Coordinates of all heavy atoms in Angstrom, one line a residue:
E1 N -1.0 17.2 -12.4 CA -0.3 16.2 -13.2 C 1.1 15.9 -12.6 O 1.9 15.3 -13.4 CB -0.2 16.6 -14.7 CG -1.6 16.7 -15.3 CD -2.4 15.4 -15.3 OE1 -1.8 14.3 -15.3 OE2 -3.6 15.5 -15.2
H2 N 1.4 16.3 -11.4 CA 2.7 15.9 -10.8 C 2.6 14.5 -10.4 O 1.7 14.0 -9.8 CB 3.0 16.8 -9.6 CG 3.2 18.2 -9.9 ND1 2.9 19.2 -9.0 CD2 3.6 18.9 -11.1 CE1 3.2 20.4 -9.6 NE2 3.5 20.2 -10.8
Q3 N 3.7 13.7 -10.8 CA 3.7 12.3 -10.7 C 4.7 11.8 -9.7 O 5.9 12.3 -9.7 CB 4.0 11.6 -12.0 CG 4.2 10.1 -12.0 CD 4.6 9.6 -13.4 OE1 4.0 10.0 -14.4 NE2 5.6 8.7 -13.4
S4 N 4.4 10.9 -8.8 CA 5.3 10.3 -7.8 C 5.0 8.8 -7.8 O 3.9 8.4 -7.7 CB 5.2 10.9 -6.4 OG 5.3 12.3 -6.5
S5 N 6.1 8.0 -7.7 CA 6.0 6.5 -7.7 C 6.7 6.0 -6.5 O 7.8 6.5 -6.1 CB 6.5 5.9 -9.0 OG 5.7 6.3 -10.1
F6 N 6.2 4.9 -5.9 CA 6.7 4.4 -4.7 C 6.7 2.8 -4.8 O 5.7 2.3 -5.1 CB 6.0 4.8 -3.4 CG 5.8 6.3 -3.4 CD1 4.7 6.9 -3.9 CD2 6.7 7.1 -2.8 CE1 4.5 8.3 -3.9 CE2 6.6 8.5 -2.8 CZ 5.5 9.1 -3.3
L7 N 7.8 2.2 -4.4 CA 7.9 0.7 -4.4 C 7.5 0.2 -3.0 O 8.0 0.7 -2.0 CB 9.3 0.3 -4.8 CG 9.5 -1.2 -5.1 CD1 8.7 -1.6 -6.3 CD2 11.0 -1.5 -5.2
A8 N 6.7 -0.8 -3.0 CA 6.2 -1.4 -1.7 C 7.4 -2.0 -1.0 O 8.4 -2.5 -1.6 CB 5.2 -2.4 -2.0
Q9 N 7.3 -2.0 0.4 CA 8.2 -2.7 1.2 C 7.9 -4.2 1.2 O 6.7 -4.6 1.0 CB 8.2 -2.2 2.6 CG 8.8 -0.8 2.8 CD 8.7 -0.3 4.2 OE1 8.2 -1.0 5.1 NE2 9.3 0.8 4.4
K10 N 8.9 -5.1 1.4 CA 8.7 -6.5 1.5 C 7.9 -6.8 2.7 O 8.2 -6.3 3.8 CB 10.0 -7.2 1.5 CG 9.9 -8.7 1.5 CD 11.3 -9.4 1.5 CE 11.2 -10.9 1.6 NZ 12.6 -11.5 1.5
P11 N 6.8 -7.6 2.6 CA 6.0 -7.9 3.8 C 6.9 -8.5 5.0 O 7.8 -9.3 4.7 CB 5.0 -9.0 3.4 CG 4.9 -8.7 1.9 CD 6.2 -8.2 1.4
A12 N 6.7 -8.0 6.2 CA 7.5 -8.5 7.3 C 7.1 -9.9 7.7 O 6.0 -10.4 7.3 CB 7.3 -7.6 8.5
A13 N 8.0 -10.6 8.4 CA 7.7 -11.9 8.9 C 6.4 -11.9 9.7 O 6.2 -11.1 10.6 CB 8.9 -12.4 9.7
G14 N 5.6 -12.9 9.4 CA 4.3 -13.0 10.1 C 3.2 -12.1 9.5 O 2.0 -12.3 9.8
Q15 N 3.6 -11.2 8.6 CA 2.6 -10.3 8.0 C 2.0 -11.1 6.7 O 2.7 -11.8 6.1 CB 3.2 -9.0 7.5 CG 2.2 -8.0 7.0 CD 2.8 -6.7 6.6 OE1 4.0 -6.7 6.2 NE2 2.2 -5.6 6.8
K16 N 0.7 -10.8 6.4 CA 0.1 -11.4 5.2 C 0.9 -11.0 4.0 O 1.4 -9.9 3.8 CB -1.3 -10.9 5.1 CG -2.3 -11.4 6.1 CD -3.7 -10.9 5.8 CE -4.7 -11.5 6.8 NZ -6.1 -11.0 6.5
Q17 N 1.2 -12.0 3.1 CA 2.0 -11.8 1.9 C 1.2 -10.9 0.9 O 1.8 -10.6 -0.1 CB 2.4 -13.1 1.3 CG 3.3 -13.9 2.2 CD 4.6 -13.2 2.5 OE1 5.4 -12.8 1.6 NE2 4.9 -12.9 3.7
T18 N 0.0 -10.6 1.1 CA -0.8 -9.7 0.2 C -1.0 -8.4 0.8 O -1.9 -7.6 0.4 CB -2.1 -10.4 -0.2 OG1 -2.8 -10.8 1.0 CG2 -1.9 -11.7 -1.0
T19 N -0.3 -8.0 1.9 CA -0.4 -6.7 2.5 C 1.0 -6.0 2.2 O 2.0 -6.5 2.5 CB -0.6 -6.8 4.0 OG1 -1.9 -7.4 4.2 CG2 -0.6 -5.4 4.6
Y20 N 0.9 -4.7 1.7 CA 2.1 -4.0 1.3 C 2.0 -2.6 1.9 O 1.0 -2.0 1.9 CB 2.2 -3.9 -0.3 CG 2.2 -5.3 -0.9 CD1 1.1 -5.9 -1.4 CD2 3.4 -6.0 -1.0 CE1 1.2 -7.1 -2.0 CE2 3.5 -7.3 -1.5 CZ 2.4 -7.8 -2.1 OH 2.4 -9.1 -2.6
Y21 N 3.2 -2.1 2.3 CA 3.3 -0.8 2.9 C 4.2 0.0 2.1 O 5.3 -0.4 1.7 CB 3.9 -1.0 4.3 CG 3.9 0.3 5.1 CD1 2.8 1.0 5.3 CD2 5.1 0.8 5.7 CE1 2.8 2.2 6.0 CE2 5.1 1.9 6.4 CZ 4.0 2.7 6.6 OH 4.0 3.8 7.3
F22 N 3.8 1.3 1.8 CA 4.5 2.3 1.1 C 4.9 3.4 2.1 O 4.1 4.3 2.4 CB 3.7 2.8 -0.1 CG 3.3 1.7 -1.0 CD1 2.1 1.0 -0.8 CD2 4.0 1.4 -2.2 CE1 1.7 0.1 -1.7 CE2 3.6 0.5 -3.0 CZ 2.4 -0.2 -2.8
A23 N 6.1 3.2 2.7 CA 6.5 4.0 3.8 C 6.5 5.5 3.6 O 6.1 6.3 4.4 CB 7.8 3.6 4.4
E24 N 7.0 5.9 2.4 CA 7.1 7.4 2.1 C 5.8 8.2 2.2 O 5.8 9.3 2.6 CB 7.7 7.6 0.8 CG 9.2 7.0 0.6 CD 9.1 5.6 0.0 OE1 8.1 4.9 0.2 OE2 10.1 5.2 -0.6
I25 N 4.7 7.5 1.9 CA 3.4 8.2 1.9 C 2.4 7.6 2.9 O 1.3 8.0 3.0 CB 2.8 8.2 0.5 CG1 2.7 6.8 -0.1 CG2 3.5 9.2 -0.4 CD1 2.0 6.7 -1.4
H26 N 2.9 6.6 3.7 CA 2.1 6.0 4.7 C 0.8 5.3 4.2 O -0.3 5.5 4.7 CB 1.8 7.0 5.8 CG 3.0 7.7 6.4 ND1 3.9 7.0 7.2 CD2 3.4 8.9 6.3 CE1 4.8 7.8 7.6 NE2 4.6 9.0 7.0
Y27 N 1.0 4.6 3.0 CA -0.1 3.9 2.5 C 0.1 2.4 2.8 O 1.2 1.9 2.7 CB -0.1 4.0 0.9 CG -0.9 5.1 0.3 CD1 -0.8 6.4 0.8 CD2 -1.8 4.8 -0.7 CE1 -1.5 7.4 0.2 CE2 -2.5 5.9 -1.3 CZ -2.4 7.2 -0.8 OH -3.1 8.2 -1.4
Q28 N -0.9 1.7 3.3 CA -0.9 0.3 3.5 C -2.0 -0.3 2.7 O -3.2 0.0 2.9 CB -1.0 -0.1 5.0 CG -1.0 -1.6 5.2 CD -0.8 -2.0 6.6 OE1 0.2 -1.7 7.3 NE2 -1.9 -2.6 7.2
C29 N -1.6 -1.2 1.7 CA -2.6 -1.7 0.8 C -2.8 -3.3 1.0 O -1.8 -4.0 1.0 CB -2.2 -1.4 -0.7 SG -2.1 0.3 -1.0
Q30 N -4.0 -3.7 1.1 CA -4.4 -5.1 1.3 C -5.1 -5.6 0.1 O -6.1 -5.0 -0.3 CB -5.3 -5.2 2.6 CG -5.9 -6.6 2.7 CD -4.9 -7.6 3.1 OE1 -4.1 -7.4 4.0 NE2 -4.9 -8.8 2.4
A31 N -4.6 -6.7 -0.4 CA -5.2 -7.3 -1.6 C -6.5 -8.0 -1.2 O -6.6 -8.7 -0.2 CB -4.3 -8.3 -2.3
Q32 N -7.5 -7.7 -2.1 CA -8.8 -8.4 -1.9 C -9.1 -9.0 -3.3 O -8.4 -8.8 -4.3 CB -9.9 -7.5 -1.4 CG -9.6 -7.0 0.0 CD -10.7 -6.1 0.5 OE1 -11.7 -5.9 -0.1 NE2 -10.6 -5.7 1.8
Q33 N -10.3 -9.6 -3.5 CA -10.7 -10.1 -4.8 C -10.9 -9.0 -5.8 O -11.7 -8.1 -5.6 CB -12.0 -10.9 -4.6 CG -12.4 -11.6 -5.9 CD -13.6 -12.5 -5.8 OE1 -14.2 -12.5 -4.7 NE2 -13.9 -13.3 -6.8
N34 N -10.0 -9.0 -6.8 CA -10.1 -8.0 -7.9 C -9.9 -6.6 -7.4 O -10.4 -5.6 -8.1 CB -11.4 -8.1 -8.7 CG -11.6 -9.5 -9.4 OD1 -10.6 -10.0 -9.9 ND2 -12.7 -10.0 -9.4
A35 N -9.3 -6.4 -6.3 CA -9.1 -5.0 -5.8 C -8.0 -5.0 -4.7 O -7.5 -6.0 -4.2 CB -10.4 -4.5 -5.1
F36 N -7.5 -3.7 -4.5 CA -6.7 -3.5 -3.3 C -7.3 -2.4 -2.5 O -7.8 -1.4 -3.1 CB -5.3 -3.0 -3.8 CG -4.3 -4.1 -4.1 CD1 -4.3 -4.6 -5.4 CD2 -3.4 -4.5 -3.2 CE1 -3.4 -5.6 -5.7 CE2 -2.5 -5.5 -3.5 CZ -2.5 -6.1 -4.7
V37 N -7.4 -2.5 -1.2 CA -7.9 -1.5 -0.3 C -6.7 -0.9 0.4 O -6.0 -1.6 1.1 CB -8.9 -2.1 0.7 CG1 -9.4 -1.0 1.7 CG2 -10.2 -2.6 -0.1
C38 N -6.6 0.4 0.2 CA -5.4 1.1 0.8 C -5.8 2.0 1.9 O -6.7 2.9 1.7 CB -4.7 1.9 -0.3 SG -4.0 0.9 -1.6
D39 N -5.2 1.8 3.1 CA -5.4 2.7 4.2 C -4.4 3.9 4.0 O -3.2 3.6 4.0 CB -5.2 2.0 5.5 CG -6.3 1.0 5.9 OD1 -7.5 1.3 5.5 OD2 -6.0 0.0 6.5
T40 N -4.9 5.1 4.0 CA -4.1 6.3 3.8 C -4.3 7.3 4.9 O -5.3 7.2 5.6 CB -4.4 6.9 2.4 OG1 -5.6 7.7 2.6 CG2 -4.7 5.9 1.3
P41 N -3.4 8.3 5.0 CA -3.7 9.3 6.1 C -5.0 10.0 5.9 O -5.5 10.6 6.9 CB -2.5 10.3 5.9 CG -1.4 9.4 5.3 CD -2.1 8.4 4.4
E42 N -5.6 10.0 4.7 CA -6.8 10.7 4.4 C -8.0 9.7 4.4 O -9.2 10.1 4.1 CB -6.8 11.4 3.0 CG -5.9 12.7 3.0 CD -4.5 12.4 3.2 OE1 -3.9 11.5 2.4 OE2 -3.8 13.0 4.1
G43 N -7.8 8.5 4.7 CA -8.9 7.5 4.8 C -8.7 6.3 3.8 O -7.6 6.2 3.2
A44 N -9.6 5.4 3.8 CA -9.5 4.2 3.0 C -9.8 4.5 1.5 O -10.8 5.2 1.2 CB -10.3 3.1 3.5
T45 N -9.1 3.9 0.6 CA -9.3 4.0 -0.8 C -9.3 2.6 -1.4 O -8.4 1.8 -1.2 CB -8.2 4.9 -1.5 OG1 -8.3 6.2 -1.0 CG2 -8.5 4.9 -3.0

């Protein structure tokens, strides 16, 4: 039950405006229809 929260970085110029990067934990989340797919160090979620 340890909790940690992270604010996304602003999408870089030329990057899709629905792709967000959470640098502290190396998550990159891409918006899809009714979902977000996040690439993580342990695989996609």
Side-chain angles (χ1 to χ4, degrees):
E1 297 301 329
H2 296 152
Q3 172 185 316
S4 302
S5 295
F6 309 92
L7 192 66
Q9 293 181 353
K10 183 177 179 179
Q15 187 179 32
K16 291 184 178 179
Q17 294 300 299
T18 54
T19 298
Y20 300 98
Y21 186 56
F22 301 87
E24 297 92 335
I25 53 174
H26 305 292
Y27 271 49
Q28 180 169 292
C29 298
Q30 169 69 50
Q32 298 183 358
Q33 185 176 8
N34 296 321
F36 275 84
V37 176
C38 298
D39 291 328
T40 80
E42 287 68 52
T45 298

